Amino acid sequence: MFGKRGNDGFGKGGAGAGTVPAPAAAVPAARSATSLIEPGSPEVSNRMQVTPPPMPGAARKKAPRTDDYYDTKSKVFSALIDTIDLSQLAKLDGESAREEIRDIVNDIITIKNFAMSISEQEELLEDICNDVLGYGPLEPLLARDDIADIMVNGAGQTFIEVGGKTIESEIRFRDNSQLLSICQRIVSQVGRRVDESSPICDARLPDGSRVNVIAPPLAIDGPALTIRKFKKDKLNLAQLVKFGAITPEGAEVLQIIGRVRCNVVISGGTGSGKTTLLNCLTGFIDSDERIITCEDTAELQLQQPHVVRLETRPPNIEGEGEITMRDLVKNCLRMRPERIIVGEVRGPEVFDLLQAMNTGHDGSMGTIHANTPRECLSRMESMIAMGGFSLPAKTVREIISGSIDVIIQAARLRDGSRRITHITEVIGMEGDVIITQDLMRYEIEGEDAAGKIIGRHVSTGIGKPHFWDRARYYNEDRRLAAALDTMEQKSKGL
């Protein structure tokens, strides 16, 4: 932030005022939406929350910002805050508010006689509008649809993931106070808070992008902000085929799995595309089904008309009022769901989800962190043990094998590409062991001169899967047989 004004300069997370306050009288006050205000007045703390549209050209590459640039920005920003009436600004729509701010900033630059080129002045105008109305330096990154993750490690260092590779961005914040203020602005939109007493927070942006903030004193070098971005155009299975994540025949099998109400667990590591794949599979759920989703932060965006979205709640500052994922899943069973979808299974709630799958809620889905389908099953056993259930190991495995129909394994390969590496059926028990069989798997054959992984999806030759009767019940058996047959022929090079 650029100094302090009131609590944090902008109430819920704005950037602060300048280190060298400009005289308020130096700026013309004869504007319909502006007037002189006292520092820390209610107009400042009661400002609106506006998310502006991305500025044209926000994604273009810019020259690194210098300390002189930030010093000038600080002085201009200070004069702006001393001049503008934010309560009047709150009555304007986003574009009108942006124009009003631009007009006043232009006047400030002229009156204060700052030496700036036209391009520098345009960048300054854009930055200040983003600070007042949006998410400050993050705005250009949020406007880019080719970025998958934004990772801010304190005010001076920001990394982004593009094309599966992590690179350092030129974006930086004025200081850690400005960064923390923007974090507060983000989490306040979903009724949460982040400060020294509550330094860890999960939240989401209006477009559903996942946000995690960890602040000092836990984060030693300043607030750490991580944003898992959602693309504006949601991916579907056809696009996953285009990107090589799955073959057309494999995608056909996944469509049938979603359509015939198989109980599905999507397994994968961090950043492997589990949530994206879950969103794709939910696209094949019938529109007349009642779906209830349970998530830590609401990310899933289902298109069906009958969807109830539930979200966990962290404890308040007194340590009370927490609503866990297990609470949500248990409550789901009283809401007459036809399908229950758990965004991420990471604890004892797996037991309640398995019970739901076993008691008439066919077609339920969830994601889990694991590197292979076998490891996914082991993780479920461990999670059930974490819940304090003193059940014999064989009983736990019988519950798992009787509940899960299909495990879909996703992976991010070392070249940054994402692939669906296994479509695995859970067959049942043989003694104390859960029996599985792969319908399809991804085999790595090498890499090209550019370091890109070369591989192919191959059929395992299973012509009649364990869920065949379910597919026949939904009149999908012929389509399933054709997809598996084509997959096997391509694997043999026929």
Side-chain angles (χ1 to χ4, degrees):
M1 273 171 46
F2 314 128
K4 295 182 180 177
R5 190 169 294 274
N7 292 331
D8 59 22
F10 268 118
K12 293 183 179 179
T19 54
V20 185
V27 184
R31 295 185 179 274
S32 59
T34 59
S35 65
L36 296 179
I37 59 174
E38 292 295 322
S41 66
E43 287 85 356
V44 176
S45 59
N46 293 332
R47 65 176 298 276
M48 64 178 176
Q49 296 286 344
V50 180
T51 302
M55 287 291 294
R60 67 178 182 272
K61 188 176 179 65
K62 300 176 182 177
R65 307 285 169 75
T66 64
D67 290 338
D68 288 341
Y69 172 87
Y70 283 104
D71 184 54
T72 301
K73 178 182 172 183
S74 171
K75 295 174 182 178
V76 173
F77 196 94
S78 175
L80 172 69
I81 294 304
D82 281 335
T83 303
I84 197 165
D85 184 346
L86 292 170
S87 65
Q88 294 296 320
L89 191 69
K91 299 176 183 178
L92 303 178
D93 61 76
E95 193 57 40
S96 299
R98 185 174 284 269
E99 286 303 316
E100 187 71 31
I101 292 171
R102 290 172 68 89
D103 289 343
I104 299 174
V105 171
N106 276 322
D107 288 345
I108 293 172
I109 292 172
T110 301
I111 292 171
K112 302 292 288 182
N113 198 26
F114 290 116
M116 305 182 73
S117 67
I118 294 176
S119 62
E120 288 175 333
Q121 185 169 336
E122 190 61 34
E123 286 187 14
L124 182 69
L125 289 168
E126 181 182 329
D127 282 357
I128 290 180
C129 287
N130 289 338
D131 284 344
V132 176
L133 300 175
Y135 301 127
L138 292 175
E139 284 291 335
L141 301 181
L142 293 172
R144 289 177 54 179
D145 207 32
D146 62 327
I147 294 177
D149 290 271
I150 302 171
M151 295 153 279
V152 183
N153 306 335
Q157 196 176 52
T158 300
F159 289 87
I160 57 176
E161 183 192 307
V162 180
K165 293 292 186 180
T166 300
I167 59 175
E168 187 168 1
S169 165
E170 295 170 348
I171 294 296
R172 68 184 178 99
F173 295 78
R174 174 60 176 166
D175 53 31
N176 285 329
S177 297
Q178 184 198 13
L179 173 56
L180 183 59
S181 292
I182 289 171
C183 293
Q184 289 168 341
R185 182 183 304 182
I186 292 172
V187 303
S188 67
Q189 291 180 329
V190 291
R192 297 184 181 180
R193 57 195 289 269
V194 58
D195 50 33
E196 285 191 7
S197 61
S198 180
I200 299 177
C201 183
D202 288 313
R204 65 179 184 277
L205 295 176
D207 67 355
S209 296
R210 183 193 310 168
V211 177
N212 176 267
V213 180
I214 181 164
L218 302 187
I220 297 171
D221 299 319
L225 170 66
T226 309
I227 300 176
R228 171 67 55 81
K229 283 189 61 186
F230 276 12
K231 288 184 177 291
K232 296 180 179 67
D233 299 321
K234 300 299 179 287
L235 288 175
N236 53 40
L237 275 181
Q239 290 170 303
L240 295 185
V241 171
K242 181 180 177 182
F243 297 148
I246 188 71
T247 62
E249 300 75 36
E252 188 90 351
V253 172
L254 293 182
Q255 288 183 31
I256 295 168
I257 287 171
R259 168 80 177 83
V260 305
R261 301 187 66 165
C262 289
N263 293 324
V264 177
V265 172
I266 298 173
S267 168
T270 301
S272 59
K274 299 186 299 298
T275 303
T276 297
L277 185 53
L278 184 57
N279 257 326
C280 291
L281 283 182
T282 58
F284 304 101
I285 298 175
D286 289 341
S287 59
D288 60 349
E289 295 185 46
R290 176 173 169 84
I291 308 163
I292 300 180
T293 68
C294 304
E295 301 174 82
D296 283 321
T297 53
E299 301 173 74
L300 296 172
Q301 299 182 343
L302 278 65
Q303 305 304 313
Q304 288 76 7
H306 199 166
V307 178
V308 179
R309 304 170 73 204
L310 305 180
E311 188 176 67
T312 61
R313 185 177 71 186
N316 59 22
I317 194 170
E318 289 83 20
E320 300 175 350
E322 181 181 17
I323 303 297
T324 66
M325 182 67 77
R326 189 168 184 205
D327 296 329
L328 293 185
V329 174
K330 288 169 71 175
N331 192 72
C332 274
L333 303 177
R334 305 184 184 99
M335 298 174 67
R336 198 198 168 275
E338 288 179 288
R339 297 206 197 205
I340 298 173
I341 298 178
V342 179
E344 185 170 332
V345 179
R346 56 162 64 95
E349 67 272 6
V350 68
F351 185 77
D352 301 287
L353 179 62
L354 293 174
Q355 292 290 81
M357 290 176 169
N358 244 329
T359 54
H361 304 94
D362 293 337
S364 295
M365 303 179 185
T367 69
I368 192 169
H369 277 271
N371 295 319
T372 65
R374 295 302 309 185
E375 184 182 324
C376 173
L377 297 172
S378 298
R379 290 262 298 156
M380 288 185 190
E381 284 190 62
S382 301
M383 290 175 184
I384 291 174
M386 286 165 51
F389 301 101
S390 54
L391 298 172
K394 184 175 182 180
T395 303
V396 171
R397 291 169 188 166
E398 286 174 344
I399 293 172
I400 294 172
S401 66
S403 304
I404 305 298
D405 294 313
V406 177
I407 298 172
I408 303 171
Q409 183 70 38
R412 184 171 68 167
L413 306 183
R414 67 174 185 270
D415 65 350
S417 61
R418 293 171 173 85
R419 296 287 184 268
I420 296 172
T421 59
H422 295 79
I423 300 177
T424 302
E425 280 193 292
V426 179
I427 303 300
M429 293 284 293
E430 193 171 284
D432 290 344
V433 180
I434 299 176
I435 303 301
T436 62
Q437 67 178 12
D438 295 335
L439 299 181
M440 182 214 75
R441 61 175 176 263
Y442 183 75
E443 294 183 351
I444 296 176
E445 299 175 337
E447 63 179 61
D448 61 18
K452 286 287 184 182
I453 297 293
I454 299 173
R456 65 189 188 115
H457 291 90
V458 299
S459 169
T460 57
I462 303 296
K464 193 172 182 180
H466 192 65
F467 63 90
W468 179 268
D469 290 339
R470 188 186 292 271
R472 185 168 57 187
Y473 177 76
Y474 284 92
N475 296 317
E476 295 283 0
D477 51 327
R478 292 183 180 179
R479 189 156 71 110
L480 177 60
L484 292 172
D485 186 52
T486 303
M487 188 189 302
E488 184 175 3
Q489 290 181 14
K490 287 188 175 182
S491 297
K492 294 178 178 179
L494 300 177

